[in-house]
Amino acid sequence: MLLVQKYGGTSVGTLERIRACARRCLETRANGHDLVVVVSAMSGETNRLITLANELLGPREQPQIGGPYVVSEGGSDRDYQRELDQLVSTGEKVSASLVAMAIQRLGGAAISLVGHQLGMQTDRVFTNARVTAVDRGRLHAELAAGKIVVCAGFQGLDPEGNITTLGRGGSDTSAVALAAALGADACEILTDVDGVYTTDPRIEPRARKVDRITYEEMIELASLGAKVLQIRSVEFAMKHCVPVHVRSSLNNREGTWIVPEATPPPSDSAAQLRNLEAPVVRGVALDRNEAKVTLTNIPDVPGSVATIFGALARDGIVVDMIIQNASREGATDVTFTVPEADIERSVEQLRTLELGRDTQILTDRAICKISIVGVGMRTHAGVAARAFEVLARANINIQMVSTSEIKVSVVVDERHGDLAVRSLHEGFALHEGP
Ligand code: ASP
Ligand code: MG
């Protein structure tokens, strides 16, 4: 078998951890597998480098690095961002060479490669590049020579030969991209948690580790999973059908497999039975970082809504839930949610619009969004109704609702977020397991 194993920042955070990582690599090799290892920077290192750059540049010229990455084509921002990628990519270079050395020290054969040496090609978007192709020649050669190939994650090379990085948490995407390119049997993400949970265990101590989850569920549960995996890596895995195994680097227990949705052929009744057992709800996610905007009394004429959301979109504001009320006397109300960090910008944009004379802009930051997610919902009626009933019994008022094929989301008062999560977890018996 060919395995790709990715070790996160804490798993290579000290020399002791690096030695443990090297031992695990050698065990994997001793079990007869070919091995490509992808490493993150030692924990804290990427932040340290970004802080250095920010301190050097000072607040005025700071090219918005370290927060959400903003890329402007041309001009000095782009120059800064090029240098930032040069800078932050060194974190992974350090850990890759240390891991390779540690393996050699234990008698194994290993070689470390940085992004351009291992053929990782990307687009030109500094600090948030996308992988476009992997040139596999070098990797194949080193594997054929019997070596463990230790790759610096998070980085690639653009068509002009500049170093790029793949966004925060991007080593996950490096690992999945390599697994896809090499046709690896699995991509293991070795981290400091033992898998993906039904919900945040800090909110619900009875949260359970799930054995398997589909790509789509994992993407929808981003607010749970983002701490475990860069979501872009899951999208990449889904597109290329790479089985991903999230597990602890501290023990050998099975973690959580992220896999395609099982679609057994109609004739396979055993498989069908297993599929029927797919839980209706796989997990509950809580997002505290949304805020609500309501526009009252907007004219109910063609184009109103287009004007509002067009203005927000032009400013790059991502709108999540939207509801529009039934109109009365030619006017209507629209309510929607945006990331809390964008609320001021949203209001500014909305103020520039010529809406109705009586239109008011109301905002509410004290809300949160709770989502229940599961591919089983596709074949089960009444999931939303059941969720509403559970929340009603807990005396929680629902402010907004949205549904998709595999998800039901509600907006509730921020103070009720934890209780809502626990109630839904209990209401769908998620602590009991499949
Ligand atoms: N070192 C990078 C970061 O901290 C990439 C990674 O760890 O995946 O975002
Ligand atoms: Mg990570």
Side-chain angles (χ1 to χ4, degrees), residues 37-39 89 92-93 96 113-115 118 150-155 174:
V37 175
V38 176
V39 292
S89 65
E92 272 71 10
K93 187 175 190 176
L113 300 174
V114 294
L118 62 87
V150 186
C151 304
F154 186 45
Q155 55 192 269
S174 307

Side-chain angles (χ1 to χ4, degrees), residues 210-231:
V210 298
D211 296 333
R212 33 168 287 163
I213 187 168
T214 69
Y215 298 122
E216 281 170 296
E217 288 170 330
M218 190 68 205
I219 291 166
E220 290 288 8
L221 287 170
S223 69
L224 285 180
K227 290 163 222 145
V228 184
L229 268 182
Q230 193 192 39
I231 288 311

Side-chain angles (χ1 to χ4, degrees), residues 6-9 39-42 44-47 50 69 88 91-92 153-154 167-174 230:
K6 181 251 166 182
Y7 291 84
V39 292
S40 287
M42 296 170 78
E45 180 62 7
T46 308
N47 288 342
I50 291 174
Y69 290 117
V88 295
E92 272 71 10
F154 186 45
R168 296 309 304 267
S171 301
D172 296 330
T173 299
S174 307
Q230 193 192 39

Side-chain angles (χ1 to χ4, degrees), residues 157-427:
L157 207 66
D158 81 1
E160 274 77 53
N162 299 299
I163 293 177
T164 53
T165 63
L166 309 181
R168 296 309 304 267
S171 301
D172 296 330
T173 299
S174 307
V176 171
L178 288 175
L182 295 169
D185 295 279
C187 179
E188 291 190 354
I189 305 286
L190 294 146
T191 174
D192 50 357
V193 294
D194 47 8
V196 178
Y197 279 72
T198 47
T199 195
D200 186 341
R202 286 167 304 184
I203 299 173
E204 171 52 276
R206 292 187 301 169
R208 222 174 15 84
K209 192 199 82 196
V210 298
D211 296 333
R212 33 168 287 163
I213 187 168
T214 69
Y215 298 122
E216 281 170 296
E217 288 170 330
M218 190 68 205
I219 291 166
E220 290 288 8
L221 287 170
S223 69
L224 285 180
K227 290 163 222 145
V228 184
L229 268 182
Q230 193 192 39
I231 288 311
R232 197 192 273 180
S233 73
V234 186
E235 289 163 359
F236 205 107
M238 177 156 111
K239 196 163 150 207
H240 299 276
C241 270
V242 177
V244 176
H245 187 187
V246 178
R247 61 193 307 191
S248 169
S249 64
L250 302 172
N251 59 54
N252 272 317
R253 283 194 290 275
E254 285 274 302
T256 301
W257 282 92
I258 310 174
V259 288
E261 191 174 341
T263 39
S267 60
D268 185 348
S269 57
Q272 253 180 355
L273 216 57
R274 275 202 305 281
N275 202 33
L276 282 179
E277 287 165 12
V280 179
V281 175
R282 186 87 64 179
V284 185
L286 171 63
D287 184 353
R288 295 183 210 271
N289 299 320
E290 293 217 358
K292 193 174 76 172
V293 181
T294 303
L295 295 173
T296 62
N297 279 311
I298 57 171
D300 194 14
V301 294
S304 278
V305 179
T307 308
I308 295 167
F309 294 107
L312 297 174
R314 269 195 303 283
D315 204 20
I317 295 167
V318 180
V319 176
D320 183 21
M321 279 193 207
I322 302 175
I323 49 175
Q324 177 177 345
N325 282 348
S327 88
R328 37 176 168 58
E329 289 158 20
T332 183
D333 300 341
V334 172
T335 302
F336 55 90
T337 60
V338 294
E340 210 170 320
D342 292 339
I343 188 101
E344 261 127 37
R345 245 168 5 109
S346 305
V347 172
E348 264 167 44
Q349 281 299 329
L350 295 170
R351 288 232 170 87
T352 64
L353 302 177
E354 287 180 15
L355 299 165
R357 248 182 305 124
D358 305 323
T359 300
Q360 271 193 305
I361 305 172
L362 310 171
T363 60
D364 185 357
R365 292 165 183 267
I367 57 142
C368 61
K369 182 175 80 173
I370 289 121
S371 308
I372 55 174
V373 174
V375 288
M377 286 183 201
R378 288 205 179 105
T379 47
H380 279 76
V383 180
R386 170 108 191 90
F388 301 154
E389 195 185 299
V390 166
L391 294 171
R393 258 194 282 118
N395 219 359
I396 295 170
N397 190 42
I398 300 170
Q399 302 179 11
M400 297 173 81
V401 177
S402 80
T403 63
S404 80
E405 244 196 329
I406 67 163
K407 178 167 84 165
V408 178
S409 300
V410 295
V411 166
V412 303
D413 189 311
E414 200 165 64
R415 285 171 306 170
H416 297 147
D418 288 10
L419 177 62
V421 168
R422 285 196 292 269
S423 305
L424 290 165
H425 199 269
E426 165 89 42

